[in-house]
Amino acid sequence: MSTASTRVPEGRYGRSSDARADRTLKVVGGVLGALLLALIGYFAYYYVGQNKISAEVIEFDAQTDAVKVHLEVRKDAGASGYCTLRSQAENGAEVGRADFRFDGDATRIDRVVTLRTTSQGTTAELLGCHSD
């Protein structure tokens, strides 16, 4: 005995509802993917392109009531802003924090700054730099 097929002939009654749903999902996925890429591009430009001042701590010398920090700042010519430094004690408590301003036409500044502390500091940490 042969069994009869319950499937309809291919292409006879148009597209199935599954094919329409698949196409809709592809379109929605493409649009959401494009929006995600645009959002990532915007944040990358804002973070990298707009940061006019960057710096790094070269070395530091901890004393009883201060920490001398050798700070190297790189910035655009004419940009002004500030860098925030902090120092912590051996137990992790913050013992000093200060902002140091930089301006002028120089694109690279090497400076030793003094961060006053309330007790013996064991670290010098650059928290970040911001342009005005």
Side-chain angles (χ1 to χ4, degrees), residues 61-125:
D61 179 27
Q63 300 169 352
T64 57
D65 63 344
V67 176
K68 293 192 181 290
V69 182
H70 180 187
L71 191 62
E72 181 180 302
V73 179
R74 292 169 301 283
K75 63 182 189 67
D76 293 343
S80 62
Y82 62 95
C83 293
T84 304
L85 294 170
R86 82 167 174 182
S87 181
Q88 294 177 314
E90 191 172 333
N91 64 359
E94 184 175 291
V95 293
R97 179 187 291 239
D99 293 333
F100 295 97
R101 296 205 54 78
F102 298 99
D103 55 6
D105 290 333
T107 58
R108 184 175 171 273
I109 300 169
D110 257 342
R111 188 176 296 169
V112 176
V113 295
T114 302
L115 175 62
R116 299 278 176 208
T117 58
T118 57
S119 64
Q120 176 77 37
T122 58
T123 65
E125 181 181 5

